[in-house]
Amino acid sequence: MEKHNKNYQRVETLIKKAYVQLASEKHSSKISVSELCETAGINRTTFYKHYHGIWEIQNAIQYAVIDKVLEIYLDYFNKEKISHPEIFINNLNSIFSSNIDYYRSIFKIIGTRYFFDNIINVVQNKTLNSTDLSDKIRASEALKTKVTFFIGGLINTYFEWFAGTLDIPLEKLGENLIIIMNNFRKELE
């Protein structure tokens, strides 16, 4: 089935939302395909056109979120936009705030630390291997340290926010991160 087909995407969304709902109520190992299909309002044949089993859904959800974060980051991480961190932070916050309960549930189900560590690794690798880095930045001996600090700090800040240890509104978190990112960008120049 074509992954860009609207009906395919609609069913994917139904399956993922049903999984998140059920996994919020009980451990994912206790979720049956029948129960998930009933919650999603689909039949088993439709489910198996999308997944081989329940275990694949969690991975699909995780990779979908990582892909969204990476897409926003890579769009930001180019020569024209890197001097405007508000673009990155506002777009990222927009995704999270569009369905905050869904994202909070995802992070709890998957294991927030594990999930955010995966995001850090993917974004760090893309950054360090980016062809958009200037020769001056690429030649810096401290590049890997700076990228590790920056990406780790940024993603860990969101980790702490989703975990509830940063008790500030998402908008205020974004404002604080923009200030920090502007200062960091100046450091790289």
Side-chain angles (χ1 to χ4, degrees), residues 49-63:
K49 287 181 181 177
H50 291 258
Y51 297 100
H52 291 98
I54 297 290
W55 55 272
E56 282 188 330
I57 301 169
Q58 184 170 308
N59 287 339
I61 291 169
Q62 179 176 329
Y63 292 122

Side-chain angles (χ1 to χ4, degrees), residues 61-117:
I61 291 169
Q62 179 176 329
Y63 292 122
V65 174
I66 288 173
D67 286 347
K68 280 184 183 182
V69 171
L70 191 57
E71 178 184 334
I72 291 169
Y73 179 74
L74 291 176
D75 183 50
Y76 159 74
F77 191 78
N78 70 44
K79 293 173 183 149
E80 292 81 38
K81 294 181 182 174
I82 199 158
S83 61
H84 301 285
E86 64 277 3
I87 294 170
F88 172 66
I89 296 298
N90 290 338
N91 287 342
L92 192 58
N93 285 359
S94 178
I95 284 178
F96 290 145
S97 64
S98 69
N99 201 344
I100 197 72
D101 293 334
Y102 177 75
Y103 285 105
R104 282 190 193 273
S105 295
I106 289 171
F107 298 140
K108 285 179 185 174
I109 292 164
I110 295 175
T112 310
R113 179 76 268 155
Y114 171 78
F115 186 79
F116 278 91
D117 284 347

Side-chain angles (χ1 to χ4, degrees), residues 3-144:
K3 288 189 176 188
H4 298 291
N5 176 305
K6 286 183 182 183
N7 188 53
Y8 184 93
Q9 294 300 327
R10 182 185 66 77
V11 173
E12 279 287 304
T13 300
L14 290 172
I15 291 170
K16 289 174 183 174
K17 285 186 176 183
Y19 176 83
V20 169
Q21 177 187 334
L22 293 169
S24 295
E25 299 166 3
K26 60 183 167 183
H27 194 274
S28 60
S29 66
K30 303 289 185 197
I31 299 171
S32 70
V33 171
S34 297
E35 182 180 26
L36 187 129
C37 290
E38 182 180 325
T39 303
I42 62 171
N43 63 45
R44 290 173 63 90
T45 304
T46 301
F47 173 83
Y48 285 113
K49 287 181 181 177
H50 291 258
Y51 297 100
H52 291 98
I54 297 290
W55 55 272
E56 282 188 330
I57 301 169
Q58 184 170 308
N59 287 339
I61 291 169
Q62 179 176 329
Y63 292 122
V65 174
I66 288 173
D67 286 347
K68 280 184 183 182
V69 171
L70 191 57
E71 178 184 334
I72 291 169
Y73 179 74
L74 291 176
D75 183 50
Y76 159 74
F77 191 78
N78 70 44
K79 293 173 183 149
E80 292 81 38
K81 294 181 182 174
I82 199 158
S83 61
H84 301 285
E86 64 277 3
I87 294 170
F88 172 66
I89 296 298
N90 290 338
N91 287 342
L92 192 58
N93 285 359
S94 178
I95 284 178
F96 290 145
S97 64
S98 69
N99 201 344
I100 197 72
D101 293 334
Y102 177 75
Y103 285 105
R104 282 190 193 273
S105 295
I106 289 171
F107 298 140
K108 285 179 185 174
I109 292 164
I110 295 175
T112 310
R113 179 76 268 155
Y114 171 78
F115 186 79
F116 278 91
D117 284 347
N118 283 339
I119 293 174
I120 290 169
N121 289 333
V122 169
V123 174
Q124 274 181 283
N125 288 333
K126 287 288 186 182
T127 303
L128 291 170
N129 296 314
S130 173
T131 57
D132 287 338
L133 290 174
S134 71
D135 291 338
K136 178 182 176 184
I137 292 173
R138 192 176 302 287
S140 167
E141 291 179 6
L143 175 65
K144 187 168 184 172

